[in-house]
Amino acid sequence: MSSSKTTSGLICAFILTALVACGSPAAAPVPHGFVAGATEAEEPQMRLSYLSTEAGSISIIDPLSGNETDTFTLPGAESMQHDGRFLFLRTTAGAGLNVIDTGVWAVDHGDHKHFYHSTAQQLQAKAPVPAGAVASDGHWVGIFDEQTGDTSVLNRKTLETGVLTVETTLSGTPHTGLAIPYKGRMLVTGSPGKDKLPTTVAAFDLSAGQSTGTDTHGAALEGNASGSLLPTACPALRGHASTRHGVVLGCSDGILVIGEEEGSLTSTKIPYPENEPDEPATSFNHRPGSSELTALAGTTGLWHVDVATLKLTFMPSPEPIVVASTAGNGSPALAMGQSGTLYALDPLTGLVENQSALLTQMKPGPPPALVLDAGRAYLSDPASTLIHEIDYKDNLRVARTFTTTEPLAQLVETGL
């Protein structure tokens, strides 16, 4: 009898377990690359966004159709930066930062990328976020306030939920500085000279979990567990770019490249070549994802920087250049001259490969915008409401021309 009861109990338990299992099927596995609220696409979902300071608006263009899909009104908007998805906008002096999600982005998994699109929207801040120079690496956003010297740190994951809020703040000295996230750290400039330009860079560990830090770049900083001063100075530091091979900074005595080896930061100075113009790089342009960059060398030509090989080359120009960029990977550097002529220069020889008179003579004021992706360049015309789409691999052929609703002051491309 005892054996029979035990057997019956086991059978009942087995049946009950099976019924529970049938009533609660296992959750389906989440597909690789799945992002809630977004649609994944096989190809990049690029968008062109332009700022009209005259109209106080930001408009988004779908390059496939050439149509403006979204417009956001932002009175007093005067400058725009981006990180491949979000637009960071300054308005009148003293006002807080404004952020617009363009609704297109890419996620780099090293050997492949995922591309997404969703609804464009303007983010609402829980509390005013200080405006300043913005840099982002897809994980963190650094905003350096030149008036206070403070760095506001934003978590990119929080931005992706539509919430604009400051995660932590690093205090510092007022100057014309930068705060650049890189490999889980925030690179913050300091030690400004009389010209208010920084001369040093310190790294703060963003995983330290501290709510505040001290960015003095001196004795107090050395005792701060979350920050460390990098050994290589960068006199009169101006301009930066983030690449796969590190962060690039313009110095009066060369180009500083900050990288990482075996978990530790490295800093390497590329000196300006001898017997070349004494014109330091103060800003950089390049295609997102490229390790090659351009910078204006005064009115005499261009600097071409290959971050992968740590090579810096001067390329003389036929005339003073107002804006330049490069897609890298053997493609020419593009440079717009004051005459309105667009030049394609060979980065190896520095010679002009092609040229095309696309715009009229440049007048005083903001220069045209020039942005590049892997197949096209987009050039704005300050004298009109036109954007030229240029096939730079086909003798600078103008493939299409878009007409904007409002006069254009700045142009960027997101979704890459």
Side-chain angles (χ1 to χ4, degrees):
M1 292 291 295
S2 176
S3 175
S4 176
K5 288 182 178 180
T6 301
T7 302
S8 298
L10 290 173
I11 293 173
C12 289
F14 175 79
I15 294 173
L16 180 60
T17 302
L19 289 173
V20 172
C22 292
S24 303
V30 177
H32 174 66
F34 173 79
V35 175
T39 301
E40 186 171 6
E42 295 183 357
E43 298 179 345
Q45 303 294 292
M46 291 96 74
R47 296 291 186 273
L48 296 172
S49 298
Y50 73 88
L51 165 65
S52 173
T53 53
E54 184 175 315
S57 64
I58 297 88
S59 298
I60 301 176
I61 301 172
D62 182 352
L64 290 179
S65 64
N67 297 326
E68 296 184 8
T69 58
D70 300 273
T71 297
F72 300 88
T73 301
L74 197 60
E78 57 185 26
S79 66
M80 175 173 63
Q81 295 172 279
H82 78 102
D83 70 353
R85 173 177 177 176
F86 294 98
L87 308 178
F88 303 93
L89 298 118
R90 289 195 196 195
T91 54
T92 52
L97 186 74
N98 291 272
V99 179
I100 292 175
D101 183 353
T102 62
V104 291
W105 68 96
V107 177
D108 192 346
H109 285 187
D111 60 343
H112 68 283
K113 284 186 176 183
H114 293 266
F115 306 103
Y116 302 93
H117 64 90
S118 62
T119 303
Q121 61 175 328
Q122 182 172 356
L123 275 59
Q124 301 300 318
K126 288 186 174 181
V129 175
V134 179
S136 172
D137 67 349
H139 302 285
W140 300 93
V141 179
I143 307 169
F144 188 89
D145 187 338
E146 299 96 332
Q147 303 301 315
T148 65
D150 292 346
T151 295
S152 299
V153 180
L154 280 59
N155 190 321
R156 184 80 154 36
K157 291 294 184 185
T158 304
L159 284 182
E160 292 168 5
T161 66
V163 177
L164 175 58
T165 184
V166 175
E167 183 90 2
T168 187
T169 301
L170 304 172
S171 59
T173 303
H175 66 279
T176 307
L178 297 167
I180 309 163
Y182 177 67
K183 299 289 186 179
R185 304 170 179 88
M186 188 65 71
L187 306 177
V188 184
T189 61
S191 305
K194 294 182 180 180
D195 55 6
K196 294 191 178 298
L197 294 177
T199 60
T200 59
V201 180
F204 289 82
D205 186 357
L206 294 176
S207 65
Q210 297 190 3
S211 58
T212 58
T214 303
D215 177 21
T216 60
H217 289 208
L221 177 61
E222 293 174 2
N224 187 323
S226 64
S228 59
L229 192 65
L230 298 186
T232 308
C234 184
L237 190 159
R238 284 188 291 180
H240 88 282
S242 296
T243 74
R244 290 178 179 269
H245 297 276
V247 173
V248 179
L249 301 169
C251 318
S252 62
D253 59 353
I255 306 296
L256 179 61
V257 179
I258 299 174
E260 184 188 55
E261 289 184 8
E262 299 180 352
S264 298
L265 291 182
T266 62
S267 55
T268 305
K269 180 71 68 65
I270 312 174
Y272 291 112
E274 296 182 0
N275 303 319
E276 297 293 3
D278 184 19
E279 297 285 357
T282 58
S283 64
F284 301 93
N285 285 321
H286 68 132
R287 172 183 61 82
S290 172
S291 61
E292 298 177 40
L293 308 92
T294 62
L296 299 187
T299 59
T300 60
L302 304 177
W303 293 112
H304 180 272
V305 188
D306 188 333
V307 187
T309 61
L310 299 178
K311 184 179 180 181
L312 178 61
T313 306
F314 173 73
M315 296 190 295
S317 60
E319 62 170 308
I321 300 299
V322 296
V323 65
S325 190
T326 179
N329 296 332
S331 63
L334 301 186
M336 171 55 65
Q338 286 184 348
S339 67
T341 299
L342 182 66
Y343 298 95
L345 295 95
D346 186 327
L348 296 178
T349 65
L351 300 177
V352 175
E353 293 182 343
N354 287 290
Q355 63 185 71
S356 178
L358 294 177
L359 307 181
T360 57
Q361 178 76 30
M362 296 291 111
K363 297 180 180 180
L370 178 63
V371 296
L372 277 68
D373 57 37
R376 292 288 192 268
Y378 296 94
L379 174 70
S380 69
D381 184 351
S384 68
T385 56
L386 301 180
I387 300 174
H388 301 293
E389 182 185 72
I390 300 165
D391 186 346
Y392 56 81
K393 297 179 181 179
D394 186 15
N395 301 319
L396 302 180
R397 177 177 60 87
V398 176
R400 290 184 298 172
T401 299
F402 307 138
T403 301
T404 61
T405 303
E406 303 291 348
L408 182 156
Q410 280 185 265
L411 177 70
V412 299
E413 186 175 19
T414 58
L416 300 175

